Amino acid sequence: MNRVGGGTATPVGYKEFVKYADAKEAELWSIFHDELDLDGNGRLDAHELRMALGKAGIDLQPSTLSEFMNFLSSSPHPQAINFTEFRDFLILMPRKASTIEIYRYYEFRKNLGDDGHGNARVNMEGDVSLSAEDRSLPPKPKPSLKTGDGHAEVDHDSQHEEEAPHGHRDTDVDGRTAFKFLLAGGIAGAVSRTATAPFDRLKVFLATRHIESAAPLTKETILHPTKSSKALMSAVVQIYREGGIRGYWVGNGLNIVKIFPESAIKFLSYESSKRMFAKYYDHVEDSREISGVSRFLSGGIGGLTSQLSIYPVETLKTRLMSETTKSHIMPTVKQMWHEGGMRTFYRGLVIGLVGVFPYSAIDMSTFEALKLAYLRSTGLEEPGVLALLAFGSISGSVGATSVYPLNLVRTRLQASGSSGHPQVYTGMWDVVQKTHANEGIRGFYRGLLPTLAKVVPAVSISYVVYEHSKRQLGVAD
């Protein structure tokens, strides 16, 4: 905006943008032709990119170089990048084109994520994942080699001929790389959730259990800060009394088990939804070019699908966390089945799904507001990785706080009938009425404090472990 609008963040007119685009295209053509395309054939291959980046002091692993080329190209497994692809990717790069700035812009786009949200993902539960499950698959091969004006693109024929013998190999490599990113994200999630499991146990305990040594739970007790803090400490003591140190990690095994299927299902559903919107709504060949609305809906569909798939595990985990005595998985499963069959495992599902879209909307809007305020206050052209992580943590926490009453109602429905929460409800409205009558509005926020308290350590641990795991798996930047 500053480059086009004369240094102020003012609306840009069409003529101004065309002037900017022409100047940027000339700038990109100069570096493409004079510095990068060493053999002068109009295409950049992996060797030429590696040589140029090496001169700039950037040494990339083969997997990172391949990912870099995928970002630049509109083809599924590019052997080379033509100028059109090079220009389209970099046309909005705010700084003057140079080899190192091109790579920095790629890193910024990658860290920003497919939905522009950044790496950190704080869900409604306060759990954190890094965007391994949101890493886009390469686009499918284009059925036609012609452009919109009917003229054939000269260099694509030879390019596809060169790719044909290696297509299966490239697909295998991309599949292995995608799996390694998912594995790194899963490892980070497992370590992070294990480290912050006591916060999760405390949240469920406060939401579902009676605290023995605290004052009676009334509206006055909840509103009084001193008595509320005493209730929190009493919950910590009571958990230790019932199960010792291991009591703080009850249900963590199930929490870890569900990470990989949840991530895989969300990833596949998200990608399938994007391709569906690309074909039937946005009418584009590349799913990376879909509109913001389509991307938002795809994310919501991915979240809904993964929630539906792993919800019984989530209910079982909550049930184990709310028991007064040490319980084992199989006896608890049998007891829940005798109570109501499969429906018992889906208690609270509707209100849980209802919260997905408002949470996503609040999360995304808060993130964009924070990013805009940061850029205006610092004068920077784009935020760094740590800033994006901070924005994601704060926006996710705001979203989780906003929909927490729905989360509490769902948690109490899941724990209904357990030894720690024997109260039986007829439905979600019954939970709402009884909670409001006994505890008032503040009662819907029981357990919120430990939910928010675990976000910062969870984000920090996840990011460090994710980066280390990528290095160990050979897919680090």
Side-chain angles (χ1 to χ4, degrees):
M1 294 291 285
N2 291 340
R3 287 285 304 276
V4 181
T8 57
T10 56
V12 178
Y14 176 73
K15 291 182 179 180
E16 292 174 302
F17 181 76
V18 170
K19 182 180 179 181
Y20 159 81
D22 288 342
K24 176 60 72 173
E25 182 172 7
E27 180 183 295
L28 293 172
W29 171 252
S30 176
I31 190 172
F32 182 92
H33 183 268
D34 298 336
E35 299 181 31
L36 303 178
D37 186 14
L38 301 179
D39 57 12
N41 68 347
R43 295 185 296 170
L44 302 180
D45 57 30
H47 173 71
E48 290 171 324
L49 280 176
R50 187 182 295 110
M51 290 286 292
L53 291 168
K55 290 179 181 179
I58 302 172
D59 185 22
L60 299 184
Q61 296 184 12
S63 60
T64 307
L65 182 62
S66 175
E67 185 185 20
F68 184 24
M69 293 185 69
N70 275 326
F71 262 81
L72 288 171
S73 176
S74 57
S75 301
H77 309 296
Q79 298 295 318
I81 311 297
N82 60 38
F83 177 71
T84 300
E85 295 170 325
F86 182 81
R87 176 201 63 197
D88 290 348
F89 180 77
L90 298 167
I91 192 69
L92 295 179
M93 184 176 69
R95 297 177 180 173
K96 181 175 175 60
S98 67
T99 303
I100 193 168
E101 287 300 335
I102 289 171
Y103 185 73
R104 285 175 177 171
Y105 182 68
Y106 148 73
E107 284 190 312
F108 166 69
R109 289 279 299 271
K110 181 186 66 172
N111 289 323
L112 198 59
D114 189 47
D115 59 358
H117 192 291
N119 280 321
R121 298 292 193 274
V122 181
N123 62 21
M124 292 170 61
E125 302 289 334
D127 289 323
V128 179
S129 64
L130 294 172
S131 56
E133 69 270 21
D134 297 320
R135 182 170 296 276
S136 296
L137 291 169
K140 292 182 178 180
K142 296 180 180 180
S144 173
L145 300 179
K146 294 186 177 182
T147 61
D149 58 1
H151 293 86
E153 294 183 0
V154 177
D155 54 284
H156 280 206
D157 290 332
S158 58
Q159 180 179 341
H160 281 283
E161 288 173 3
E162 292 171 6
E163 288 177 7
H166 309 289
H168 181 70
R169 182 190 65 190
D170 290 341
T171 302
D172 290 342
V173 171
D174 285 346
R176 287 197 299 269
T177 301
F179 173 76
K180 287 180 179 180
F181 276 112
L182 285 171
L183 181 59
I187 293 171
V191 174
S192 172
R193 293 187 187 192
T194 300
T196 59
F199 292 101
D200 203 31
R201 177 74 204 281
L202 189 57
K203 181 204 77 170
V204 175
F205 192 95
L206 289 169
T208 62
R209 294 284 300 276
H210 170 70
I211 304 172
E212 295 175 357
S213 58
L217 190 61
T218 63
K219 296 178 183 180
E220 291 74 19
T221 303
I222 295 173
L223 289 171
H224 198 290
T226 303
K227 293 180 179 178
S228 294
S229 62
K230 287 183 179 180
L232 183 63
M233 292 308 300
S234 297
V236 173
V237 172
Q238 191 171 334
I239 292 174
Y240 181 79
R241 187 187 304 126
E242 292 179 0
I245 292 295
R246 295 183 65 180
Y248 297 105
W249 276 267
V250 170
N252 185 58
L254 289 173
N255 209 17
I256 293 174
V257 166
K258 72 175 185 174
I259 290 175
F260 289 102
E262 182 180 14
S263 296
I265 292 168
K266 182 179 179 181
F267 173 75
L268 294 174
S269 177
Y270 179 60
E271 287 295 327
S272 299
S273 299
K274 285 201 304 178
R275 286 176 171 171
M276 180 191 70
F277 282 113
K279 182 176 181 180
Y280 296 107
Y281 182 75
D282 296 297
H283 304 294
V284 294
E285 293 181 355
D286 190 345
S287 62
R288 293 176 294 183
E289 298 175 357
I290 60 175
S291 64
V293 172
S294 297
R295 200 175 302 279
F296 173 76
L297 292 175
S298 297
I301 292 171
L304 291 173
T305 305
S306 62
Q307 278 292 307
L308 282 170
S309 303
I310 56 91
Y311 195 82
V313 180
E314 181 69 27
T315 302
L316 178 60
K317 182 198 76 171
T318 302
R319 184 68 172 256
L320 289 170
M321 286 182 168
S322 63
E323 297 285 358
T324 57
T325 58
K326 183 178 180 181
S327 301
H328 297 283
I329 293 177
M330 290 312 299
T332 304
V333 169
K334 291 178 181 178
Q335 181 183 348
M336 292 174 65
W337 181 265
H338 287 313
E339 289 177 6
M342 185 58 71
R343 292 186 62 181
T344 307
F345 293 90
Y346 284 91
R347 284 176 180 166
L349 174 64
V350 174
I351 196 165
L353 296 181
V354 165
V356 170
F357 283 101
Y359 166 79
S360 298
I362 294 169
D363 180 26
M364 293 178 66
S365 59
T366 304
F367 181 89
E368 291 300 325
L370 289 170
K371 186 173 71 172
L372 181 60
Y374 174 81
L375 294 178
R376 285 179 173 174
S377 63
T378 61
L380 298 175
E381 293 170 334
E382 67 263 354
V385 176
L386 293 180
L388 290 173
L389 287 173
F391 301 157
S393 301
I394 296 171
S395 64
S397 299
V398 172
T401 302
S402 302
V403 300
Y404 191 81
L406 302 179
N407 194 356
L408 180 127
V409 171
R410 186 195 67 180
T411 301
R412 289 190 172 181
L413 282 170
Q414 289 175 321
S416 176
S418 66
S419 58
H421 195 78
Q423 177 70 57
V424 178
Y425 303 101
T426 59
M428 59 182 179
W429 289 115
D430 190 28
V431 181
V432 172
Q433 291 171 355
K434 289 178 178 177
T435 300
H436 186 267
N438 297 327
E439 306 166 39
I441 296 296
R442 289 284 295 273
F444 290 96
Y445 290 91
R446 288 189 68 193
L448 175 61
L449 181 58
T451 299
L452 299 180
K454 77 176 183 179
V455 170
V456 172
V459 169
S460 304
I461 294 169
S462 293
Y463 183 71
V464 171
V465 176
Y466 182 59
E467 292 299 318
H468 179 73
S469 299
K470 287 197 300 179
R471 285 194 295 271
Q472 294 297 316
L473 293 170
V475 290
D477 298 340

